[in-house]
Amino acid sequence: MARPKNDSRLIGANAELMQLVAREIGIPIEVRYAGPWGRVQESARNGRIDLIAGAFLTQPRLTYLRYLQPPIRDTQTLIWTRQQHRCSTSAGKTCRGRKALP
């Protein structure tokens, strides 16, 4: 989801999907910017946020979030490296500590 400058509203596919779900179930869902990602997760852990659309499933998050199954979408991640700096994603640990470009 994206946020227009100087606005608390979020836009994008997940924001639109949440509004479709809200209409379907008859319960309002407020889709808004709630701060940086770390603060959003902390707010979910503390019960200040009821839903995070688009959060990747991780073992630590399973302690404070429940995920829809099956997922509403699948995201593939691609990693490009210079030939002399290969990292094996199948090994899992060889890319840790390396910087990624946004």
Side-chain angles (χ1 to χ4, degrees):
M1 287 188 267
R3 176 174 60 112
K5 287 189 182 233
N6 302 319
D7 198 343
S8 65
R9 143 188 93 89
L10 293 173
I11 58 174
N14 280 342
E16 289 182 28
L17 178 61
M18 292 301 100
Q19 295 311 307
L20 289 171
V21 168
R23 283 195 295 277
E24 183 70 27
I25 64 175
I27 298 173
I29 297 175
E30 181 184 352
V31 179
R32 64 181 173 86
Y33 177 73
W37 183 237
R39 186 184 316 151
V40 168
Q41 292 180 80
E42 183 64 28
S43 294
R45 274 191 292 275
N46 294 329
R48 292 188 304 269
I49 290 178
D50 295 320
L51 183 143
I52 302 175
F56 289 106
L57 190 149
T58 65
Q59 288 299 318
R61 289 184 195 144
L62 285 173
T63 63
Y64 61 93
L65 294 176
R66 286 186 282 171
Y67 287 83
L68 295 173
Q69 292 297 330
I72 58 174
R73 72 178 174 168
D74 183 30
T75 302
Q76 295 181 352
T77 301
L78 301 174
I79 299 172
W80 287 277
T81 64
R82 292 184 180 148
Q83 200 166 14
Q84 65 270 29
H85 297 288
R86 294 178 186 247
C87 68
S88 168
T89 56
S90 61
K93 297 178 183 176
T94 56
C95 290
R96 285 193 182 140
R98 303 219 181 180
K99 292 184 179 180
L101 297 175

